[in-house]
Amino acid sequence: YSQKWVWVHLASLTPETIMDVLTRLGLLLDSDPSVRNLLLDDIDLAPAACRLYEPSLGGILLTVQSRSGRVILTSQRTPSSRLQTALAIQTDSLVRVPALTEEEVSVILERTGFPRSREERSQWAKIIQLQSAGHPQLVQAAVRSQILAGWTRARIEALLETPQEVALERREARQILVDALPAPQRTLTYWLGVAGTFRRDHAIAIGEKAGIPFPGDHFESLVGPWVEPITDTHFRVTPLIGSSATDVFGEQVLRNIHARIAEALLSCGHLSQHEAGSIMMHAFVGKHAGILLLGVYRMVLGADEATRDIVLNEISWFLALTTAPGVRIFPDDPQVNSALRLLQFRVALVADPSKAEAIAERWDEEITDCEPRELYLLQRFTYVLHLLLFFQAPIRPSCLIACFK
């Protein structure tokens, strides 16, 4: 502790052990007046835990304050209002640490001796930031992995790969999750990881769909260690755990989880354009025909033009769905398939009109005679109407003529 700062690492310690460490730290401060600056790293600020060592922590803060020193506390939880009052912590002293940006990852690469050009460093920074979602621990793991690999040339395929060191960090985090949390909280964490970003009411609705009793209580216990606030209203599961559901559940169970998440999000209402797009993604992966049909209706017919264009841009991933001849995007239900081709066509008009013709050809090909006859005629009418109304799409005249066959 001869340096300017004393660093005390408190991660994963029990409240009783933290109380013992803080007591010893208090004795150190009493014996050495030169110690003026402290970093208490990863201290557990859960209300039940910090009640045990609140007096010791308060004494340490007062001692350092009397020496005109500084104390930095890092924690996975925001201190409770009671603790802020007891320790006289000012609101403007609380700082939420955001995820690392591309620029910050680039600085890390530079300081680790990245051996290639600035342009390639920027490319790798982008890849690592996307692989890790900016989580510092995963960024460091990705950097270590690439150092061991000799910094191969940056390529877009790397976005689809998980570096070995990152996979190891996630496995270790999942094992900690298994050891630390009871089954209801683990289940909620996995389901929320599938959901992506969500509001608190979304988390409660998702917990109810998962059959978890008192989901709001379980959610509050997860915020901090396992669930991170990313805005004042939205959360995400820590990237250390986020995609773990794919390693825990089988394909059919995952599909059902997506479908139930779509139902939960829809039931909450007050949806943003991003949340509407999220519902469609979960409904599509979960093969939820009812929500898909409802989504097409609301996006195409139930919104004003400005809102519709924003929402259609939110689901531009629809353009990646197949337009190969003979391959339907929803083979289980011809009616849903036709509705999704309609939606895909409308997305193309907003996001990439050059793809409209290929989509129109598949849409036409997939409208087959069916019972009742009126349904077939309605589908053909909708198809022809769209080709005529949206004449700005770059579709060959021969394709337009063919639609009247």
Side-chain angles (χ1 to χ4, degrees):
Y1 54 84
S2 59
Q3 303 298 319
K4 293 182 179 179
W5 287 84
V6 172
W7 174 48
V8 184
H9 186 53
L10 300 169
S12 304
L13 300 182
T14 64
E16 292 77 15
T17 303
I18 292 176
M19 181 170 64
D20 182 56
V21 170
L22 293 180
T23 300
R24 293 171 182 269
L25 181 59
L27 295 174
L28 170 65
L29 290 172
D30 291 340
S31 65
D32 189 347
S34 67
V35 177
R36 298 174 59 245
N37 301 309
L38 298 177
L39 170 58
L40 304 181
D41 191 17
D42 214 351
I43 187 171
D44 186 358
L45 294 182
C50 63
R51 281 177 184 268
L52 288 175
Y53 42 80
E54 183 183 304
S56 297
L57 184 58
I60 288 171
L61 295 182
L62 286 173
T63 299
V64 173
Q65 187 178 32
S66 70
R67 298 175 183 178
S68 300
R70 292 166 291 181
V71 177
I72 295 177
L73 281 76
T74 70
S75 179
Q76 296 174 333
R77 298 180 186 273
T78 302
S80 66
S81 298
R82 178 185 175 280
L83 185 64
Q84 292 181 48
T85 301
L87 301 182
I89 299 174
Q90 301 298 316
T91 303
D92 58 5
S93 298
L94 302 176
V95 178
R96 180 182 296 164
V97 181
L100 293 173
T101 64
E102 281 183 38
E103 291 74 17
E104 290 167 332
V105 175
S106 181
V107 171
I108 291 173
L109 295 181
E110 183 180 15
R111 292 181 178 178
T112 55
F114 182 79
R116 300 184 186 275
S117 68
R118 178 179 297 181
E119 181 182 357
E120 284 201 67
R121 188 176 77 221
S122 177
Q123 292 171 349
W124 268 115
K126 182 185 293 291
I127 289 172
I128 289 174
Q129 203 280 336
L130 290 171
Q131 287 175 333
S132 64
H135 190 285
Q137 198 169 332
L138 294 182
V139 168
Q140 293 289 353
V143 171
R144 287 199 307 271
S145 184
Q146 290 305 324
I147 290 175
L148 293 173
W151 289 109
T152 56
R153 188 168 297 278
R155 52 197 173 84
I156 193 66
E157 290 81 7
L159 291 174
L160 304 177
E161 301 167 355
T162 300
Q164 184 177 354
E165 296 287 327
V166 172
L168 179 61
E169 290 284 350
R170 284 176 170 157
R171 282 198 299 272
E172 291 177 351
R174 192 168 78 247
Q175 188 56 55
I176 294 173
L177 179 83
V178 171
D179 294 340
L181 298 182
Q185 292 181 5
R186 290 204 309 274
T187 299
L188 183 57
T189 303
Y190 292 139
W191 278 56
L192 294 178
V194 175
T197 61
F198 48 86
R199 306 189 310 239
R200 186 181 187 279
D201 58 323
H202 294 163
I204 293 173
I206 289 169
E208 290 172 345
K209 291 291 182 181
I212 296 171
F214 312 112
D217 292 340
H218 289 302
F219 175 71
E220 293 300 334
S221 69
L222 295 174
V223 174
W226 304 107
V227 173
E228 304 173 349
I230 53 176
T231 69
D232 291 337
T233 57
H234 285 76
F235 302 83
R236 71 173 182 182
V237 171
T238 171
L240 283 169
I241 295 295
S243 60
S244 292
T246 57
D247 298 320
V248 176
F249 303 114
E251 182 179 345
Q252 185 57 48
V253 173
L254 277 173
R255 186 177 296 132
N256 179 65
I257 290 173
H258 279 286
R260 301 292 82 76
I261 289 174
E263 293 174 350
L265 297 180
L266 186 63
S267 70
C268 291
H270 306 291
L271 301 172
S272 67
Q273 291 91 346
H274 172 75
E275 289 160 351
S278 181
I279 290 174
M280 289 298 288
M281 185 275 292
H282 290 297
F284 182 79
V285 176
K287 296 186 179 297
H288 198 306
I291 290 182
L292 288 172
L293 286 173
L294 179 63
V296 172
Y297 173 80
R298 287 189 176 180
M299 290 180 177
V300 175
L301 300 176
D304 61 81
E305 184 175 356
T307 302
R308 181 166 56 243
D309 287 353
I310 294 173
V311 174
L312 292 176
N313 269 307
E314 281 287 342
I315 58 169
S316 58
W317 54 269
F318 248 71
L319 297 181
L321 301 180
T322 182
T323 55
V327 183
R328 296 172 182 262
I329 55 178
F330 202 88
D332 297 341
D333 189 319
Q335 182 182 359
V336 176
N337 185 82
S338 183
L340 293 181
R341 286 296 187 200
L342 160 61
L343 184 60
Q344 191 182 34
F345 182 79
R346 295 296 293 269
V347 171
L349 294 178
V350 172
D352 187 355
S354 67
K355 295 186 177 181
E357 183 174 307
I359 295 169
E361 289 176 349
R362 295 293 78 73
W363 188 6
D364 181 27
E365 172 189 291
E366 292 164 359
I367 299 175
T368 55
D369 207 348
C370 62
E371 294 296 335
R373 177 72 175 175
E374 290 78 9
L375 177 58
Y376 165 73
L377 294 175
L378 177 61
Q379 290 178 358
R380 285 221 58 85
F381 172 77
T382 303
Y383 167 70
V384 173
L385 183 65
H386 272 72
L387 261 61
L388 294 177
L389 283 179
F390 298 99
F391 55 86
Q392 69 272 30
I395 296 176
R396 289 170 294 140
S398 58
C399 184
L400 292 171
I401 294 171
C403 76
F404 291 99
K405 63 184 178 181

